[in-house]
């Protein structure tokens, strides 16, 4: 059975801190790993990772995939209160486009 | 990326009734999916909405409870039938790609359903 595990499940930090969120997976026919940010209802797409070792970056957020370790990390530097959200990791299979989601990490950034 | 809208954005329903949720995309897309997110939980795929044929349901979800239509490449509906309080969730439509290619998945704004 496909599995995606995220850690930690929740995290509370102060503005300006740097955080690292983890995602590990066990899936057959892996195609890509995706990160989403969910603030209210709809998850907002952050990154799609298909190749190992290549960092993707967008502003203060960055992410990298390690296919050997079957894992990915999402880094957020100089956190702001607006970064408070649930961060979801999902894995896509080559056999279809269905996504398997992890439980999510609830990040709270306090002023 | 495609622009996705969902209607209604939220609803409060009585047990035993049914609700149909609409998902509209501003361009033709290859794949459309319906997810459910129960309170405090992550997203679970209900089914893949196939254009011109029956939806493909995931384990634990059946057509009688969650009938789905997809009459064309830009529109789909999900009906939650004979609702119970356990159906209270956020229901999300997502799309994958602009016809005929596939791309990453984007989500609609979601429908928050409360069943009393």
């Amino acid at each position: 059975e496909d599995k995606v595990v995220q850690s930690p499940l929740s995290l509370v930090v102060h503005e300006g801190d740097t955080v690292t969120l983890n995602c590990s997976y066990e899936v057959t026919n892996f195609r890509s790993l995706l990160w989403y940010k969910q603030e209210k209802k709809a998850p907002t797409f952050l990154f799609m990772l298909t190749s190992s070792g290549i960092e993707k970056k967008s502003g203060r957020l960055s992410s990298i995939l390690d296919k050997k370790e079957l894992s990915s990390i999402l880094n957020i530097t100089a956190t702001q209160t607006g970064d408070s959200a649930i961060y979801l990791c999902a894995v896509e299979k080559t056999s279809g486009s269905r996504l398997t989601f992890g439980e999510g990490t609830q990040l709270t950034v306090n002023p | 990326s495609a622009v996705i809208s969902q209607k209604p954005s939220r609803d409060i329903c009585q047990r035993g009734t049914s609700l149909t949720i609409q998902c509209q995309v501003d361009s033709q897309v290859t794949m459309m999916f319906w997810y459910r997110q129960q309170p405090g939980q992550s997203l679970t795929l209900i089914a893949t909405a196939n254009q011109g044929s029956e939806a493909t349901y995931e384990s634990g979800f059946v057509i009688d409870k969650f009938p789905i239509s997809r009459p064309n490449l830009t529109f789909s509906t999900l009906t939650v039938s004979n609702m119970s309080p356990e159906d209270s969730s956020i229901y999300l439509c997502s799309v994958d790609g602009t016809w005929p290619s596939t791309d990453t998945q984007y989500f609609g704004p979601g429908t928050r359903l409360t069943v009393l």
Side-chain angles (χ1 to χ4, degrees):
Chain A
E1 183 183 334
D2 298 337
K3 193 190 296 187
V4 179
V5 177
Q6 291 185 244
S7 64
L9 293 182
S10 68
L11 188 56
V12 180
V13 300
H14 291 290
E15 264 192 320
D17 289 350
T18 293
V19 298
T20 298
L21 310 183
N22 301 285
C23 176
S24 63
Y25 60 91
E26 291 177 28
V27 298
T28 53
N29 302 316
F30 172 88
R31 179 190 178 199
S32 63
L33 185 144
L34 298 92
W35 285 98
Y36 292 88
K37 177 182 182 183
Q38 186 177 31
E39 292 176 89
K40 290 182 181 176
K41 289 187 296 185
T44 305
F45 172 77
L46 295 175
F47 298 110
M48 179 179 181
L49 305 162
T50 54
S51 300
S52 213
I54 298 175
E55 184 183 53
K56 292 221 173 171
K57 201 169 169 60
S58 176
R60 296 176 293 103
L61 277 67
S62 63
S63 184
I64 195 162
L65 176 67
D66 186 337
K67 279 180 161 180
K68 188 176 174 186
E69 296 296 325
L70 305 183
S71 65
S72 174
I73 59 171
L74 175 68
N75 280 319
I76 308 174
T77 59
T79 51
Q80 302 171 357
T81 54
D83 294 326
S84 296
I86 297 172
Y87 289 84
L88 295 164
C89 170
V91 175
E92 184 179 29
K93 296 159 72 84
T94 54
S95 58
S97 297
R98 62 185 303 275
L99 296 180
T100 300
F101 280 86
E103 314 95 308
T105 294
Q106 172 76 63
L107 174 65
T108 302
V109 182
N110 291 322
Chain B
S1 64
V3 176
I4 309 164
S5 60
Q6 275 186 243
K7 279 198 253 189
S9 62
R10 58 174 57 221
D11 208 340
I12 301 173
C13 301
Q14 296 296 321
R15 142 196 332 250
T17 62
S18 298
L19 176 72
T20 296
I21 302 167
Q22 299 179 3
C23 178
Q24 178 75 56
V25 192
D26 70 340
S27 56
Q28 293 183 333
V29 292
T30 310
M31 310 285 283
M32 295 181 79
F33 305 89
W34 287 99
Y35 288 85
R36 178 175 77 178
Q37 187 176 29
Q38 293 177 300
Q41 309 265 329
S42 192
L43 280 72
T44 301
L45 180 66
I46 298 172
T48 302
N50 301 309
Q51 194 268 328
S53 64
E54 268 192 16
T56 305
Y57 289 84
E58 297 298 307
S59 175
F61 297 97
V62 295
I63 188 171
D64 289 346
K65 176 67 176 176
F66 297 102
I68 285 171
S69 78
R70 189 176 173 194
N72 56 52
L73 291 173
T74 64
F75 184 77
S76 177
T77 66
L78 168 75
T79 299
V80 186
S81 303
N82 188 24
M83 287 184 284
S84 67
E86 292 70 38
D87 295 319
S88 297
S89 296
I90 297 173
Y91 291 86
L92 292 150
C93 161
S94 78
V95 304
D96 182 351
T98 302
W99 181 266
S101 66
T102 59
D103 195 351
T104 192
Q105 279 193 34
Y106 298 94
F107 285 83
T111 297
R112 187 183 298 276
L113 171 62
T114 302
V115 183
L116 302 177

